[in-house]
Amino acid sequence: MTLTRHAARRVVDLAGLWDFAFLGDVASQTLDAVDPAAIRFDDVMAVPACFDAAPRYAGRRGLTAYRTKLTFPDAAPHRLVVDGAHHVARFLLRDAAGKVTTLGEHHGGFTRFSFDIRDRDPGDYSLIALIDNRLGAGLADAPCPLHLDYFDWRHYGGLTRGVELHRLGSLWLDDVRVTTTDWKAGRVRVALRWAGDKTPAGAPLRIVVDGRTVLEENVKLPGLSGVIERELTIPHARPWSPDGPHLHQLAVHLGDDDWRLRIGLRQVRVDGRDILLNDEPIKLRGFNRHEAHPHFGHAVPPAVQLADVQILKAMHANFVRGSHYPQDERFLDLCDQAGLLVWSEAIGWQQTVEHLTDERFLRLQEQQIDEMLAASANHPSVILWGILNESESHKPESRPAYERLIGRLRAGDPSRPVTYASNHPFDDRCLDLCDVVSVNTYPAWYWGTLADIGKELDRVVAHLGKVGMGERPLIIAEIGGGAVPGCREWGIDRWGEPYQAEIVAESIRQILGRPDTFAGIAIWQFCDVVTAEMSRRVLARPRGFNNKGIVDEYRRPKQAFAVVCQLFEQFGALPARSS
Ligand code: ADA
């Protein structure tokens, strides 16, 4: 279950069963209060997995401890790479004599982080992870303010994605970023971030594409870290697109280290109301997807991720909005391969001015944005960056936060357009900061009838035109209605499968039927997901699920499934512009 990008570097996959202890859920049970020597590991837990999706701990919130063995073959620096931990994690290393060192702490799920391990003797150690999945009711009492109790999904906890131990040696690659600079000519820019302990003055650099060496030179390595940039022409270059998702294999070798990835040649930009992929307008037909499953929580196994991709393709979708947080990189790998376009979004859900003016919240948002970019920027499937779903973008006090976070995205990756999903389209004050305008709206569900879908979309379009936002691409980023699986009653609309199918059909017709007005649709939502445990949500959501999935939580199709298949196929065959 790892995402190893290395063949030369020694990488140990730490997936498997770890020792486990549920330490408690009382307020005094904090990371600082734990004495690692006193932890009684009386159980085991799978890694990756969500401990609170496992039957014994289902729904529990509190402090937990995980333990596994680490062996260091020599004194070289190593790096512990954690692909996701929810929500607060502290990692400790314990040597054979019982001496404990803290490796570091991380806040926020859904993104990769790492800790370097230096200056210790070779031999066997215990790695202990203290993981707290508790939520706060507000920022002040939230162990991690990125995860709050009112969001409309269950926040699962644990070591939710892969964990690896990397041996770094004396010179290593920290990151490789590949950006297409000319898709027609097959030109890319490769930026290598390197670092080291006692680095040599220079080292051989070799870049191999699809098995052919395209660059070989000796590079100078001044200091202990730096960036090397090169422009390359890919031999026998073939562009990447949803219809032809061609991937080239790239391997970078610097000294004894290496980094491997698959790249797709494609450029994205906006032009008036169009999103252009390799200079051609593209209409987005797709879904919002939560990375969740009742049996696995957020640690959705590869077989289910693959099933999701297969179902999306079966519905003739070409687009997924990763709502409302960065999706697992394995899922992005599958999207690269399948030709699905992805909107990748940093975590956020109806954040208020209080949040958007809180420095701790904003710093963690920036950290999550940086981590999302690091994990997702090389994926050709990712065409859009997003932040802060449905937050208070209509209040003037929020604007500095939008400027700051959108600025962070642009500085980290100028090659993709930026957006956020607004539920305040009529008084939003930040839309001008985006390249793509995205609006969430629920006519015929939270209010009105089927006839209101077209009318509401007209109102949105007219208003955006009036405030000077009419000449940007417009995505309806959420629209839909709920259906409890199997529910159908004469004369009752809400929660029945037939009515959901009608809402979805009318929405698709209204949006994809007007290609000159809309750049795309993301139906809310792909599959049913467990909602938050707070009574305000559970009482408003039958079964305790957000039931707006077109497939249920086990990916079984509802009536709307066939409707989407037919309509997405029909509209997918039409040109992206009427003229
Ligand atoms: C909002 C929100 C979604 C979901 C949806 C709903 O638009 O962005 O996460 O909660 O409403 O089902 O009501």
Side-chain angles (χ1 to χ4, degrees), residues 431-486:
L431 292 177
D432 60 297
L433 300 172
C434 294
D435 305 296
V436 173
V437 174
S438 300
V439 170
N440 296 352
T441 180
Y442 286 87
W445 182 254
Y446 287 120
W447 54 271
T449 64
L450 291 172
D452 289 302
I453 295 176
K455 286 187 206 151
E456 181 62 6
L457 294 172
D458 286 342
R459 261 182 11 105
V460 169
V461 170
H463 177 79
L464 292 174
K466 223 183 301 159
V467 295
M469 291 293 113
E471 288 310 310
R472 299 188 191 202
L474 170 60
I475 296 176
I476 299 301
E478 290 185 27
I479 194 161
V484 173

Side-chain angles (χ1 to χ4, degrees), residues 82-88 106-113 144-148 151 153 155 160-161 177 298 322-328 332 343-349 351 359-377 385-389 404-406 408-409 412:
V82 183
D83 286 344
H86 294 237
H87 308 108
V88 176
H106 184 267
H107 292 232
F110 302 114
T111 51
R112 175 178 308 141
F113 54 95
C144 173
L146 295 182
H147 298 265
L148 299 176
F151 294 6
W153 74 86
H155 302 249
T160 56
R161 293 178 181 170
R177 177 77 71 87
H298 295 311
S323 52
H324 298 296
Y325 40 75
Q327 313 275 293
D328 191 339
L332 298 182
W343 158 337
S344 180
E345 148 171 329
I347 194 167
W349 202 84
Q351 311 295 161
E359 188 54 28
R360 182 171 168 234
F361 175 82
L362 291 171
R363 287 223 184 110
L364 282 172
Q365 282 286 332
E366 289 179 327
Q367 175 195 302
Q368 168 132 132
I369 284 172
D370 294 349
E371 291 170 346
M372 171 175 81
L373 292 179
S376 321
W385 298 124
I387 50 164
L388 296 176
N389 173 62
R404 177 166 160 184
L405 299 182
I406 287 174
R408 188 83 172 197
L409 278 172

Side-chain angles (χ1 to χ4, degrees), residues 383-396:
I383 57 154
L384 255 182
W385 298 124
I387 50 164
L388 296 176
N389 173 62
E390 292 195 343
S391 298
E392 291 190 332
S393 47
H394 58 313
K395 302 216 171 138

